[in-house]
Amino acid sequence: MDSRTNLYGLIGHPIQHSLSPEFQNKLIELFNINAAYLAFNVEKDQFENIKNTIKTLNIKGLNVTVPYKETIIPYLDKIDESANRIGAVNTIEYIDGQLIGYNTDAFGFIRMLKELNVNIDNHKAVVLGAGGAAKAIIYALEKLGIDDIMLCNRTIEKADRLLEKFNFKNKKISSLQDFQIEDDMLIINTTSLGLDENESPVVISKSVKNTILIDIIYNPFETKLIKDAKINGIYAVNGLPMLIYQGIESFKIWHKQIENPFIYYDNLYDNLLRKLVD
Ligand code: NAP
């Protein structure tokens, strides 16, 4: 590092468990870029200074995480179409004096499905949770051309409001308790239930055909939900690939000259896997 080192980072609160600094700095190292990526724990009562701070310190790019993905929007000069539709920003680029907001979470989810080679044709989507992550997932499902969606959430009004903005042929809202697993479902858990290893948003206690379960939580590496699904023979994966793909896409936004950072996906995945299961 020297006086020309460019600064990138993550803003959120809390952020001490984030894996982003680990893999973003790994990418910086692999491409031999003169940059550093740091995690900034921004207190809520300091957030109003964010725009000036980025500009004053000439921070070239930031990821944004809980609880600031929505509150950051009024501080930005422009947001791209996906961030606008989703209503949340997880990536900021500071370029030509302007702060530009993007959302790479939906991209990360779509790329994960593609790379896992799962066939979602004729599947009914079931999204558990209606928070920030759910918005990006639902936007991705709309882009993927899914017809049927059911949104299950603790707070029904929040689910109602969220689904209103999106176009699906058939929309249904339900509580988490009323969820029943069936054949041909694409179930995505976006609730935070599962961060505690003994908790699960719904009960899975029977075998079904062609159903796919994705829990976007990656720490613990196998949530109770994933374990229950696997016990019943259901294909189930966690959110680590989504995390890495959204992060590589952010990296691509900041370092446009780099041809294909996705070639290092396996390298990043192995590193984070080791960290998570150790
Ligand atoms: P959020 O906006 O706070 O939403 C949390 C969701 O969980 C809401 O639907 C909330 O329901 C539900 N919930 C929380 N506690 C609950 C409880 N005790 N009982 C029932 N429902 C409960 O959080 P978020 O940003 O969407 O993130 C959610 C999870 O996704 C986090 O674990 C995060 O780590 C993960 N995530 C992963 C990735 C990835 O790349 N893999 C990306 C983003 C997020 P209510 O609406 O009723 O409050």
Side-chain angles (χ1 to χ4, degrees), residues 206-217:
K206 66 172 185 181
S207 300
V208 283
K209 278 190 285 174
N210 295 330
T211 284
I212 300 160
L213 177 107
I214 298 171
D215 191 337
I216 69 164
I217 293 175

PDB file of all heavy atoms in Angstrom, residues 206-217:
ATOM      1  N   LYS A 206     -41.516 -34.229   5.505  1.00  0.00           N
ATOM      2  CA  LYS A 206     -41.904 -35.309   4.601  1.00  0.00           C
ATOM      3  C   LYS A 206     -41.155 -35.187   3.271  1.00  0.00           C
ATOM      4  O   LYS A 206     -40.651 -34.103   2.930  1.00  0.00           O
ATOM      5  CB  LYS A 206     -43.417 -35.314   4.377  1.00  0.00           C
ATOM      6  CG  LYS A 206     -43.957 -34.114   3.650  1.00  0.00           C
ATOM      7  CD  LYS A 206     -45.428 -34.315   3.304  1.00  0.00           C
ATOM      8  CE  LYS A 206     -45.955 -33.169   2.473  1.00  0.00           C
ATOM      9  NZ  LYS A 206     -47.328 -33.232   2.110  1.00  0.00           N
ATOM     10  N   SER A 207     -41.095 -36.279   2.546  1.00  0.00           N
ATOM     11  CA  SER A 207     -40.413 -36.284   1.252  1.00  0.00           C
ATOM     12  C   SER A 207     -41.353 -35.776   0.169  1.00  0.00           C
ATOM     13  O   SER A 207     -42.559 -36.041   0.224  1.00  0.00           O
ATOM     14  CB  SER A 207     -39.981 -37.706   0.880  1.00  0.00           C
ATOM     15  OG  SER A 207     -39.125 -38.187   1.855  1.00  0.00           O
ATOM     16  N   VAL A 208     -40.786 -35.029  -0.780  1.00  0.00           N
ATOM     17  CA  VAL A 208     -41.574 -34.545  -1.921  1.00  0.00           C
ATOM     18  C   VAL A 208     -40.712 -34.682  -3.173  1.00  0.00           C
ATOM     19  O   VAL A 208     -39.506 -34.892  -3.075  1.00  0.00           O
ATOM     20  CB  VAL A 208     -41.986 -33.060  -1.732  1.00  0.00           C
ATOM     21  CG1 VAL A 208     -43.138 -32.914  -0.774  1.00  0.00           C
ATOM     22  CG2 VAL A 208     -40.810 -32.207  -1.293  1.00  0.00           C
ATOM     23  N   LYS A 209     -41.361 -34.544  -4.340  1.00  0.00           N
ATOM     24  CA  LYS A 209     -40.621 -34.728  -5.605  1.00  0.00           C
ATOM     25  C   LYS A 209     -40.249 -33.391  -6.239  1.00  0.00           C
ATOM     26  O   LYS A 209     -41.064 -32.455  -6.248  1.00  0.00           O
ATOM     27  CB  LYS A 209     -41.485 -35.518  -6.592  1.00  0.00           C
ATOM     28  CG  LYS A 209     -41.416 -37.035  -6.354  1.00  0.00           C
ATOM     29  CD  LYS A 209     -42.075 -37.784  -7.484  1.00  0.00           C
ATOM     30  CE  LYS A 209     -43.559 -37.658  -7.356  1.00  0.00           C
ATOM     31  NZ  LYS A 209     -44.469 -38.093  -8.252  1.00  0.00           N
ATOM     32  N   ASN A 210     -39.048 -33.325  -6.804  1.00  0.00           N
ATOM     33  CA  ASN A 210     -38.574 -32.167  -7.598  1.00  0.00           C
ATOM     34  C   ASN A 210     -38.497 -30.849  -6.839  1.00  0.00           C
ATOM     35  O   ASN A 210     -38.377 -29.797  -7.462  1.00  0.00           O
ATOM     36  CB  ASN A 210     -39.481 -31.911  -8.814  1.00  0.00           C
ATOM     37  CG  ASN A 210     -39.419 -33.050  -9.785  1.00  0.00           C
ATOM     38  OD1 ASN A 210     -38.386 -33.717  -9.891  1.00  0.00           O
ATOM     39  ND2 ASN A 210     -40.519 -33.308 -10.468  1.00  0.00           N
ATOM     40  N   THR A 211     -38.629 -30.886  -5.534  1.00  0.00           N
ATOM     41  CA  THR A 211     -38.577 -29.625  -4.779  1.00  0.00           C
ATOM     42  C   THR A 211     -37.123 -29.258  -4.472  1.00  0.00           C
ATOM     43  O   THR A 211     -36.293 -30.130  -4.213  1.00  0.00           O
ATOM     44  CB  THR A 211     -39.463 -29.732  -3.525  1.00  0.00           C
ATOM     45  OG1 THR A 211     -40.815 -29.608  -3.962  1.00  0.00           O
ATOM     46  CG2 THR A 211     -39.185 -28.649  -2.502  1.00  0.00           C
ATOM     47  N   ILE A 212     -36.844 -27.958  -4.567  1.00  0.00           N
ATOM     48  CA  ILE A 212     -35.486 -27.433  -4.353  1.00  0.00           C
ATOM     49  C   ILE A 212     -35.564 -26.453  -3.186  1.00  0.00           C
ATOM     50  O   ILE A 212     -36.481 -25.619  -3.151  1.00  0.00           O
ATOM     51  CB  ILE A 212     -35.020 -26.662  -5.614  1.00  0.00           C
ATOM     52  CG1 ILE A 212     -34.994 -27.576  -6.839  1.00  0.00           C
ATOM     53  CG2 ILE A 212     -33.680 -25.974  -5.391  1.00  0.00           C
ATOM     54  CD1 ILE A 212     -35.018 -26.814  -8.164  1.00  0.00           C
ATOM     55  N   LEU A 213     -34.627 -26.555  -2.267  1.00  0.00           N
ATOM     56  CA  LEU A 213     -34.614 -25.604  -1.149  1.00  0.00           C
ATOM     57  C   LEU A 213     -33.303 -24.816  -1.136  1.00  0.00           C
ATOM     58  O   LEU A 213     -32.222 -25.400  -1.192  1.00  0.00           O
ATOM     59  CB  LEU A 213     -34.759 -26.339   0.192  1.00  0.00           C
ATOM     60  CG  LEU A 213     -34.673 -25.353   1.346  1.00  0.00           C
ATOM     61  CD1 LEU A 213     -36.020 -25.119   1.985  1.00  0.00           C
ATOM     62  CD2 LEU A 213     -33.686 -25.767   2.382  1.00  0.00           C
ATOM     63  N   ILE A 214     -33.440 -23.496  -1.078  1.00  0.00           N
ATOM     64  CA  ILE A 214     -32.252 -22.646  -0.938  1.00  0.00           C
ATOM     65  C   ILE A 214     -32.419 -21.818   0.329  1.00  0.00           C
ATOM     66  O   ILE A 214     -33.426 -21.111   0.484  1.00  0.00           O
ATOM     67  CB  ILE A 214     -32.085 -21.719  -2.159  1.00  0.00           C
ATOM     68  CG1 ILE A 214     -31.880 -22.577  -3.415  1.00  0.00           C
ATOM     69  CG2 ILE A 214     -30.912 -20.762  -1.959  1.00  0.00           C
ATOM     70  CD1 ILE A 214     -31.915 -21.813  -4.704  1.00  0.00           C
ATOM     71  N   ASP A 215     -31.474 -21.952   1.228  1.00  0.00           N
ATOM     72  CA  ASP A 215     -31.483 -21.107   2.425  1.00  0.00           C
ATOM     73  C   ASP A 215     -30.358 -20.105   2.226  1.00  0.00           C
ATOM     74  O   ASP A 215     -29.180 -20.489   2.163  1.00  0.00           O
ATOM     75  CB  ASP A 215     -31.227 -21.972   3.677  1.00  0.00           C
ATOM     76  CG  ASP A 215     -31.505 -21.178   4.944  1.00  0.00           C
ATOM     77  OD1 ASP A 215     -31.450 -19.935   4.900  1.00  0.00           O
ATOM     78  OD2 ASP A 215     -31.792 -21.815   5.976  1.00  0.00           O
ATOM     79  N   ILE A 216     -30.685 -18.815   2.114  1.00  0.00           N
ATOM     80  CA  ILE A 216     -29.623 -17.857   1.779  1.00  0.00           C
ATOM     81  C   ILE A 216     -28.701 -17.560   2.955  1.00  0.00           C
ATOM     82  O   ILE A 216     -27.711 -16.854   2.822  1.00  0.00           O
ATOM     83  CB  ILE A 216     -30.152 -16.564   1.118  1.00  0.00           C
ATOM     84  CG1 ILE A 216     -30.941 -15.708   2.097  1.00  0.00           C
ATOM     85  CG2 ILE A 216     -30.970 -16.855  -0.120  1.00  0.00           C
ATOM     86  CD1 ILE A 216     -31.137 -14.277   1.580  1.00  0.00           C
ATOM     87  N   ILE A 217     -29.025 -18.115   4.132  1.00  0.00           N
ATOM     88  CA  ILE A 217     -28.085 -18.025   5.259  1.00  0.00           C
ATOM     89  C   ILE A 217     -26.883 -18.930   4.925  1.00  0.00           C
ATOM     90  O   ILE A 217     -27.059 -19.999   4.346  1.00  0.00           O
ATOM     91  CB  ILE A 217     -28.772 -18.493   6.567  1.00  0.00           C
ATOM     92  CG1 ILE A 217     -29.872 -17.490   6.950  1.00  0.00           C
ATOM     93  CG2 ILE A 217     -27.763 -18.663   7.699  1.00  0.00           C
ATOM     94  CD1 ILE A 217     -30.711 -17.907   8.151  1.00  0.00           C
TER      95      ILE A 217
END
